[in-house]
Structure formats: C-alpha cells, structure tokens
Amino acid sequence: EVTSGDIPDLTAEDLLVVEVQLENNGLLGRVPHEIGAVRTCTTLGLYGNGLVGTLPAALGNLVSLSKLWVDDNELVGQIPTELGKLRNVDDMALYEN
C-alpha cells in the first residue's frame, strides 16, 4: 500500500496490472517512464498528488487505457503527442497542473 512519497519502482509482476488508482495519496516526484510497460492497464488515476515534471511520452504505450486522470498535480510542459495513440481513452483529466 502506498500512502505518500514517490511512485514505487515497477516489477515484472506489475506489468499485468489492470488498474492503478493512487489518487490523493501524497505521491511526490515524477511519473516514471516505465509506466508505459504496463500495457494491460485500463485505468491510471494519479490525481490529487504532488507529481512534478512532464508526463512521460511512454504513456502512449498504454494501448488498453480507457481512463487517464493526472489532474491536480504540479505537472508542467506540453502534453506528449504520443497520447494521441490512445484510441480507447474515453475519460481524460489533465487540468490544474
């Protein structure tokens, strides 16, 4: 269980994860580019934390993703063009960054 701090490193077992919901957990640091290896992920909820930096282009590898919520963090920069590859997304929140 993650309650605060950095997003933990991913292991081989994590590559089969379907949902990552870590909203309002006091997470800090950057969204790791390794998250793009979790191709089975359908929901990625990281809103309401203290995440910084840019969104990794590797998010475009999450071909099963239908929900991406990274709002209410401290993210900066442009939205990666690779997110345009996410054809199954029907709910995306990027505001308040």
Side-chain angles (χ1 to χ4, degrees), residues 49-75:
N49 288 291
L51 300 175
V52 297
T54 59
L55 284 175
L59 286 176
N61 296 332
L62 300 178
V63 294
S64 299
L65 201 65
S66 63
K67 296 176 181 19
L68 174 61
W69 305 313
V70 293
D71 48 301
D72 196 19
N73 281 288
E74 301 297 325
L75 299 169

Side-chain angles (χ1 to χ4, degrees), residues 21-25 44-49 51 69-73 93:
Q21 294 193 22
L22 298 171
E23 302 93 352
N24 298 309
N25 272 296
L44 180 58
L46 299 173
Y47 65 83
N49 288 291
L51 300 175
W69 305 313
V70 293
D71 48 301
D72 196 19
N73 281 288

Side-chain angles (χ1 to χ4, degrees), residues 10-18 34-41:
L10 298 172
T11 64
E13 294 83 25
D14 295 326
L15 299 180
L16 300 175
V17 169
V18 176
E34 292 88 359
I35 195 87
V38 189
R39 295 175 185 256
T40 56
C41 186

